[in-house]
Amino acid sequence: CLLSKEANKPPTNTQMSSDIAPRRPPSARPRPPPASGESSRGAEERVDDGIVDDEETWLFSVKTSMTTSDIAKMGFTNIILLDANRWRSEGGSDLEASASAAAADVFYCFGMKEPIPSLCASSRLELQAQLVHSFCGRGDLLVVIQNAGLPDEREAGMVMVGRLVDAIESAYNEASERMVEDMAGVSVVLESCSLPILAVSWDDDRQRKIEVTSA
C-alpha cells in the first residue's frame, strides 16, 4: 500500500483546480457506487498491487485553503483537520509547550485510544503505533494541516508540522511492510504553504527533508 500517487498534472494557480485528479492508492475498503451507478471520484479506481512506487507523491501543499468541493474532487471522504497555529506558543520559541499542545491535538483529532504525552522523540514510537490504528477501518483519509507554511523551519509550529508529517509517513510505511489489514489510502495537505521542502527536526537529532508537491 502507498500513501498517495502522483497527480496527473498539478495545477499552477493558487487554488485547487476544478479538474484535479490525483492518483491515490485504493483503500482496503473501496467506496461504494452512487445511486446513478457512475463514480463521482476524480481519481480512477485501481487495484492495489502492494508495490511501493518511488515516484509516488503523498504530501501536497496549497497556497490558500481547500474547499469541501476541492476535497471531494480529489476523491476523499474522511478528513482530519489540524491547525498549526494551535501549536504556536507565545513568543514562538517554547518547543516543549508546542510539543504538548500538538500531541493533545493529534490524540483528539485522530481518535487515539491513549493520550500522547508530547510530540517528542521519547513518544515517537508510541505515536506511530497509534497512528497505524487510526489509519485502519476507513475508506480513505486526507490529513489537512492549516497554517503550515512559515518559512522559518525552527519556528515551533513548523517543527511540530515536520514531526507529525514524518510520523505519519513512518507509521504508514511500517504498516505497509507488516501488511496491516483494512488500511486507508492516506495523503497529507499543508495549507497556506508554498514550501518545496518540509524540514523535519526531532529532539534526538533525527533530521531529514521531505519533498512537498504543490497542488
Side-chain angles (χ1 to χ4, degrees):
C1 293
L2 310 177
L3 267 74
S4 175
K5 292 282 187 177
E6 197 171 39
N8 291 338
K9 186 175 182 180
T12 57
N13 58 347
T14 58
Q15 294 184 343
M16 302 294 289
S17 169
S18 61
D19 59 355
I20 186 171
R23 296 179 57 229
R24 300 186 295 105
S27 301
R29 298 186 183 191
R31 189 175 183 181
S36 65
E38 297 179 359
S39 175
S40 59
R41 281 188 50 174
E44 60 181 291
E45 295 288 351
R46 293 173 297 111
V47 176
D48 188 3
D49 58 10
I51 301 175
V52 176
D53 183 354
D54 289 338
E55 300 298 323
E56 71 186 14
T57 301
W58 61 275
L59 177 61
F60 298 90
S61 67
V62 291
K63 294 181 180 179
T64 56
S65 297
M66 298 177 66
T67 67
T68 53
S69 293
D70 295 328
I71 293 170
K73 287 169 184 174
M74 290 177 72
F76 287 97
T77 57
N78 293 277
I79 317 299
I80 290 179
L81 181 63
L82 303 109
D83 186 353
N85 276 348
R86 290 176 49 85
W87 311 336
R88 296 186 164 103
S89 57
E90 187 174 351
S93 59
D94 189 346
L95 284 179
E96 185 175 343
S98 294
S100 296
D105 262 2
V106 169
F107 164 72
Y108 176 81
C109 294
F110 280 84
M112 294 179 172
K113 291 185 176 181
E114 299 291 337
I116 302 296
S118 175
L119 234 62
C120 61
S122 61
S123 300
R124 187 167 58 223
L125 292 180
E126 180 183 358
L127 169 63
Q128 291 173 192
Q130 293 211 52
L131 282 171
V132 171
H133 179 77
S134 299
F135 295 160
C136 297
R138 59 174 90 221
D140 52 61
L141 179 61
L142 179 66
V143 180
V144 179
I145 307 178
Q146 297 176 302
N147 302 300
L150 294 187
D152 184 1
E153 62 185 42
R154 296 171 297 179
E155 188 272 328
M158 291 306 299
V159 171
M160 297 308 123
V161 171
R163 290 181 183 180
L164 177 57
V165 170
D166 180 57
I168 288 173
E169 182 185 31
S170 297
Y172 202 99
N173 287 343
E174 176 190 347
S176 295
E177 290 176 1
R178 292 195 285 115
M179 299 184 70
V180 173
E181 295 183 356
D182 206 12
M183 285 280 290
V186 182
S187 290
V188 180
V189 170
L190 307 180
E191 285 192 343
S192 304
C193 178
S194 58
L195 302 175
I197 298 292
L198 178 65
V200 175
S201 177
W202 293 86
D203 50 318
D204 62 352
D205 295 329
R206 169 181 165 83
Q207 297 185 4
R208 60 184 294 232
K209 305 286 186 181
I210 305 178
E211 184 178 355
V212 183
T213 297
S214 174

